[in-house]
Amino acid sequence: MIAITGATGHLGRLVIGSLIRRGVDPSEIAAAVRSPDKASDLGARGVLVREADYTRPDTLGPALEGVDTLLLISASDIGRRAEQHRNVIEAAQRAGVGRIVYTSLANVDTSPMGLAEEHRQTEAELRASGVPHVLLRNGWYFENYTAQLPQYLAHGAILGSAGDGRISAATRADYAEAAAAVLTSEGHDGETYELGGDDAFTVPELAEEITRQSGTEVVYRDLPVDEYEQALRDAGLPEPVAALYADFDRAISGGHLYVESDALRRLIGRPTTPLADAVGEALRAAETP
């Protein structure tokens, strides 16, 4: 039995799809979700849907009953994630889960990103738990940018503070395939995989690619971090969110989202999705009514 937490999220759904394509019987997959009603489509495919709320430990034990391998997808509630992940790890210990695979952050040991601290805490919890585990340190998602294509095209610009920092991004689908590969094969216990795309790019290069494929000029405007944060607040983002996004770009400019490892390519058995393909797919999706 393989359980996936956060199974109704973008990454969780992709992992489940990849597991089924790899031949895993849907009845041997447990979608551990906070809101089971949002997983009715997974249930229709034969996946077991179990309530599992990170903030309600009483739901976690039943959700993990009979589970051999758990994919712990990091929670989205920044600032509370370390506690939430600890709840899951402790429940997994009690339930006798044989292996935990955790989606962490690239270069987390040295990353200055505020986002990194909760991942470091969770990795420490896993080491202390005694449960065999695998760390998937996911790099940046292309979707962090391609989801904003309509705004980039409307304004003709990408604002940021990333400078010429190189980003080893890949698609969510790439990372999901890597997770499915680890979940369905042996020899990974104790491993830490730094995962990122084959060909790193800069945000100015992203702007050039969008311009090339769309025919609409999009330029990159690099700002000091404090000015970028203020611009985000002026655009209507809450202050904590604006500070978080500015912190991302500060880390990118320092090279902290560049990944030298080819582990992602090796796990999925093919090259990772190139920037041009990710931009092209996003443009086609934006044009679809």
Side-chain angles (χ1 to χ4, degrees):
M1 177 72 69
I2 299 172
I4 316 294
T5 69
T8 52
H10 293 299
L11 183 63
R13 288 183 180 278
L14 288 168
V15 172
I16 289 174
S18 184
L19 288 172
I20 293 172
R21 287 193 299 275
R22 287 171 178 269
V24 178
D25 191 312
S27 67
E28 295 180 351
I29 302 172
V33 298
R34 182 170 56 185
S35 302
D37 58 311
K38 294 181 180 179
S40 57
D41 60 312
L42 297 175
R45 298 180 72 180
V47 173
L48 301 177
V49 177
R50 296 177 173 179
E51 183 181 13
D53 189 325
Y54 291 149
T55 65
R56 293 172 51 212
D58 60 296
T59 67
L60 299 175
L64 298 179
E65 184 178 349
V67 169
D68 302 299
T69 299
L70 168 66
L71 175 62
L72 172 53
I73 294 178
S74 56
S76 58
D77 194 358
I78 295 171
R80 301 181 61 196
R81 297 193 296 177
E83 177 185 356
Q84 293 172 356
H85 297 163
R86 185 182 309 114
N87 290 340
V88 178
I89 293 167
E90 290 176 350
Q93 285 178 289
R94 292 191 295 269
V97 171
R99 177 172 60 157
I100 299 175
V101 180
Y102 174 62
T103 61
S104 188
L105 176 70
N107 302 315
V108 75
D109 291 330
T110 57
S111 177
M113 294 172 66
L115 198 65
E117 180 55 30
E118 290 180 306
H119 288 296
R120 284 192 285 265
Q121 292 176 30
T122 299
E123 289 192 6
E125 291 281 351
L126 284 167
R127 287 190 290 270
S129 73
V131 179
H133 60 274
V134 186
L135 302 177
L136 302 179
R137 291 180 173 173
N138 289 353
W140 229 220
Y141 297 159
F142 275 130
E143 289 86 349
N144 293 343
Y145 295 112
T146 56
Q148 301 180 69
L149 270 178
Q151 293 95 314
Y152 299 157
L153 293 168
H155 297 288
I158 302 173
L159 301 184
S161 298
D164 290 320
R166 301 199 71 75
I167 307 161
S168 302
T171 61
R172 281 197 187 95
D174 288 340
Y175 293 114
E177 283 191 37
V182 170
L183 292 168
T184 55
S185 59
E186 300 298 326
H188 303 286
D189 288 1
E191 294 290 341
T192 296
Y193 294 111
E194 296 284 355
L195 303 180
D198 293 338
D199 300 310
F201 63 94
T202 65
V203 183
E205 290 169 348
L206 168 67
E208 291 172 4
E209 186 61 32
I210 294 171
T211 298
R212 185 183 71 82
Q213 292 199 42
S214 69
T216 298
E217 184 178 17
V218 175
V219 299
Y220 175 59
R221 296 177 183 164
D222 196 61
L223 304 173
V225 173
D226 57 345
E227 291 185 23
Y228 177 45
E229 185 176 339
Q230 183 60 52
L232 292 170
R233 290 199 298 267
D234 292 344
L237 289 183
E239 187 170 338
V241 177
L244 186 70
Y245 285 9
D247 185 53
F248 294 162
D249 271 24
R250 182 187 291 110
I252 290 169
S253 69
H256 295 286
L257 284 171
Y258 175 74
V259 177
E260 294 186 9
S261 166
D262 66 349
L264 182 54
R265 167 196 280 261
R266 287 188 286 107
L267 286 173
I268 65 180
R270 60 165 174 78
T272 63
T273 303
L275 172 64
D277 289 4
V279 169
E281 182 177 346
L283 286 170
R284 289 188 293 273
E287 294 169 356
T288 301

